[in-house]
Amino acid sequence: MALITTKQILTPQPSGWAVGAFNVHNMEDVQAVVWAAEEAQAPVIILVSESALKHAGAAYIGSIVKAASERVNIPIALQLDHGRSYEVAVECIKEGFSGVMIDGSHLPFAENVALTKKVVEVAHDFGVTVEGELGRVGGKEDHLNVASQDAFLTDPDQVVEFVESTGIDILAPAIGTVHGLYRGEPMIDFALLGKIRALVHLPLVMHGGSDLPVAIIEQAIASGISKINVGTDIKYAVTDTIKEYFRDHPEEFEPRKVFGAAREQAKRVVGEKLLLFKAVGKAREVNR
Ligand code: 13P
């Protein structure tokens, strides 16, 4: 089916389960995500970071995702992940993305509000969903590298003002998760998440969904998270498989075999996440 917006995917707002949102970089990643979601009959959000856009091009990756979506019967949204400028958001909207995340978390509060609001105005004119970030998620994600001393949790006193004055559809709070692998034990502030959940009604996103223990994912969902972003675990599935492939077949020169093996492992990881997020069979619950 045709792409739908991230907001539609999150309507009615998932409760007791979460929609998986997965970072992709090329055709094989897109197929891995879409095929795993189809097998699971789960709605899914495909995320493209600025680095992935630079690598693949918004038009190319957009066309691949649309082609994949049209060949299955599950709800799929395509969203810019951590867009840092108005211009990149507009580029993605023009290429038919159905959601954009504008990440002004590196800016002072008032500037984050102003940038996010400007993106909301144009995105909503085109019926495109907007996710904003308040607080700053740490760690490394493609082009973004937020050192731990620069990361900070969401200030609950700013949440209502941020949501109301920007008009965003989805909120990504910083609750202690990080992008990339965790050094030591993940420290998630569930009390803060609970406070935020009580303050606003829009869907809440958990970034940094890789490398987390099952219990944390389950508690996050129980505490009101309804979209979980995963990137790093797929990257490792792909690159570890490629390394292993060449270790076992040093003479191989057929790219299809190598990338095909990597795609299979990426698909397995996505399928496991959808199961963990309790998203299996939820395609029919989404308002299309
Ligand atoms: P991970 O790479 O840690 O899974 O984080 C992905 C993410 O939050 C994308 O926005």
Side-chain angles (χ1 to χ4, degrees):
M1 55 184 275
L3 292 178
I4 64 172
T5 66
T6 315
K7 187 175 175 179
Q8 280 174 288
I9 293 252
L10 293 163
T11 309
Q13 202 173 124
S15 169
W17 65 283
V19 175
F22 301 98
N23 287 91
V24 301
H25 305 267
N26 55 29
M27 180 190 76
E28 285 81 2
D29 286 347
V30 173
Q31 291 173 328
V33 173
V34 170
W35 295 350
E38 186 191 27
E39 252 175 49
Q41 281 300 298
V44 78
I45 299 165
I46 294 185
L47 301 175
V48 184
S49 69
E50 284 195 15
S51 303
L53 281 183
K54 238 180 235 157
H55 172 72
Y60 284 87
I61 203 81
S63 299
I64 291 169
V65 173
K66 280 175 230 164
S69 178
E70 278 157 18
R71 280 157 183 79
V72 293
N73 190 28
I74 49 166
I76 299 178
L78 167 61
Q79 179 164 304
L80 167 67
D81 193 34
H82 293 284
R84 299 267 282 210
S85 67
Y86 175 79
E87 289 73 21
V88 73
V90 168
E91 182 192 0
C92 290
I93 292 166
K94 278 190 189 154
E95 292 298 344
F97 282 45
S98 57
V100 290
M101 178 196 185
I102 182 71
D103 176 358
S105 64
H106 55 294
L107 301 169
F109 180 75
E111 288 172 44
N112 186 2
V113 168
L115 173 64
T116 305
K117 186 170 189 274
K118 194 170 158 193
V119 170
V120 166
E121 279 163 9
V122 64
H124 284 182
D125 277 351
F126 288 88
V128 169
T129 301
V130 181
E131 175 179 327
E133 178 167 330
L134 184 63
R136 196 162 188 214
V137 176
K140 183 161 172 39
E141 174 75 22
D142 290 345
H143 60 295
L144 276 183
N145 195 355
V146 182
S148 54
Q149 68 270 19
D150 295 329
F152 57 92
L153 299 184
T154 302
D155 176 353
D157 291 339
Q158 295 178 329
V159 168
V160 172
E161 188 185 342
F162 186 71
V163 169
E164 286 180 357
S165 51
T166 57
I168 51 168
D169 306 291
I170 306 172
L171 176 67
I175 52 171
T177 56
V178 300
H179 292 126
L181 299 180
Y182 286 81
R183 288 194 207 134
E185 222 171 286
M187 303 289 285
I188 315 305
D189 192 337
F190 284 109
L192 173 62
L193 175 58
K195 253 188 216 167
I196 298 169
R197 182 65 294 170
L199 287 167
V200 284
H201 301 292
L202 78 183
L204 299 178
V205 183
M206 186 164 82
H207 281 249
S210 293
D211 194 30
L212 280 173
V214 170
I216 287 188
I217 298 281
E218 286 176 348
Q219 199 176 346
I221 292 173
S223 309
I225 288 289
S226 51
K227 168 177 176 268
I228 302 179
N229 287 10
V230 175
T232 302
D233 281 346
I234 301 176
K235 288 183 188 180
Y236 275 102
V238 168
T239 50
D240 285 349
T241 304
I242 292 173
K243 283 179 213 165
E244 251 168 58
Y245 200 94
F246 282 114
R247 200 190 55 216
D248 297 345
H249 311 87
E251 307 296 327
E252 186 59 66
F253 71 99
E254 189 59 76
R256 284 190 306 275
K257 290 193 182 163
V258 185
F259 296 139
R263 178 175 62 191
E264 204 46 50
Q265 291 311 308
K267 182 177 166 227
R268 179 186 55 77
V269 167
V270 173
E272 287 170 5
K273 299 291 178 193
L274 294 171
L275 200 61
L276 179 59
F277 302 165
K278 298 189 172 61
V280 175
K282 299 294 186 189
R284 61 177 173 272
E285 291 190 14
V286 171
N287 275 347
R288 305 189 188 188

